[in-house]
Amino acid sequence: DQQVKQNSPSLSVQEGRISILNCDYTNSMFDYFLWYKKYPAEGPTFLISISSIKDKNEDGRFTVFLNKSAKHLSLHIVPSQPGDSAVYFCAASAGGYQKVTFGTGTKLQVIP
Amino acid sequence: ETGVTQSPTHLIKTRGQQVTLRCSSQSGHNTVSWYQQALGQGPQFIFQYYREEENGRGNFPPRFSGLQFPNYSSELNVNALELDDSALYLCASSGGGAGETQYFGPGTRLLVL
């Protein structure tokens, strides 16, 4: 039962363009959503989060959008840089509880 | 401020053996969570410890057990290893409050033959 789904296993984007990574969830109890970035041989690194009371959160080049009615969130990276090339995990938790449910990841490649 | 560290980095065991993986939390963090990441999958929650007590568990059998010590370092023990236990094991520490960000270590790669 995959409660957090990332349906695109990979994405290639030209440097300077926008990268859009998508994520869907099924558990309506989720109220906190996160994106993590993972480089090979390293643990996931927290990128940005959003609470269910918001529909947008921005941090520099990274913006996360949440559509609760569609149970969908997306991560926008503008402009994309080669150093952004990594695997991006969408994750969610419920009720402030720190059990975090992860998606399967999307491998982003930013082409110089 | 030191980050989350894990040891060993790699480990090879045979089916039926037991393994202990270790994690040192980031300074000031009292909560540690353990995750299993199989190849091509996202991390899956195993369990969490808060101030030395188990604070939640995912869908893993009892042969997966853990400990958290007074200095908030932690161990993951797996008994009767199975081939499917081959994975990257990640620990993450946090401050314990609601919505606190988890900081991950680099993981231990376990191969069961």
Side-chain angles (χ1 to χ4, degrees):
Chain A
D1 175 25
Q2 193 71 28
Q3 297 187 51
V4 178
K5 301 177 185 178
Q6 294 177 258
N7 292 320
S8 298
S10 63
L11 176 68
S12 287
V13 171
Q14 286 291 131
E15 181 179 3
R17 306 295 288 268
I18 184 171
S19 295
I20 300 176
L21 294 93
N22 293 303
C23 177
D24 298 295
Y25 62 96
T26 57
N27 188 341
S28 56
M29 298 300 291
F30 287 147
D31 59 3
Y32 191 65
F33 304 89
L34 312 95
W35 285 93
Y36 281 84
K37 179 169 74 172
K38 188 178 185 301
Y39 293 117
E42 294 182 13
T45 303
F46 170 75
L47 198 55
I48 192 169
S49 63
I50 187 167
S51 162
S52 60
I53 62 173
K54 294 185 174 183
D55 54 18
K56 177 183 175 181
N57 189 26
E58 202 169 347
D59 183 1
R61 297 186 296 114
F62 302 92
T63 303
V64 56
F65 295 92
L66 175 62
N67 182 334
K68 288 188 293 292
S69 61
K71 293 192 175 68
H72 177 84
L73 64 156
S74 61
L75 174 68
H76 293 207
I77 306 173
V78 184
S80 301
Q81 299 174 355
D84 296 329
S85 297
V87 177
Y88 288 78
F89 289 101
C90 170
S93 66
Y97 181 50
Q98 291 199 40
K99 171 188 173 180
V100 178
T101 301
F102 283 81
T104 53
T106 295
K107 185 174 183 179
L108 173 66
Q109 182 184 21
V110 180
I111 303 164
Chain B
E1 180 179 281
T2 56
V4 179
T5 59
Q6 292 186 243
S7 62
T9 54
H10 295 82
L11 201 52
I12 300 174
K13 291 285 189 178
T14 56
R15 199 168 41 179
Q17 285 189 310
Q18 179 266 342
V19 69
T20 298
L21 310 181
R22 294 181 175 84
C23 172
S24 290
S25 301
Q26 186 162 313
S27 176
H29 286 178
N30 56 19
T31 302
V32 65
S33 302
W34 283 92
Y35 292 83
Q36 179 196 67
Q37 186 180 7
L39 204 59
Q41 301 296 315
Q44 278 200 291
F45 177 76
I46 303 175
F47 44 58
Q48 180 184 90
Y49 278 81
Y50 171 67
R51 293 187 175 180
E52 303 176 60
E53 296 287 330
E54 188 178 291
N55 187 38
R57 189 178 183 91
N59 294 327
F60 281 82
R63 59 189 185 83
F64 285 78
S65 63
L67 280 175
Q68 188 182 30
F69 300 101
N71 66 354
Y72 302 134
S73 66
S74 176
E75 285 182 357
L76 164 65
N77 298 290
V78 187
N79 293 322
L81 283 167
E82 300 177 359
L83 298 180
D84 284 349
D85 296 333
S86 296
L88 179 69
Y89 288 85
L90 295 159
C91 82
S93 74
S94 62
E100 286 271 351
T101 299
Q102 296 187 0
Y103 294 88
F104 283 82
T108 293
R109 176 76 61 187
L110 173 65
L111 176 61
V112 182
L113 301 175

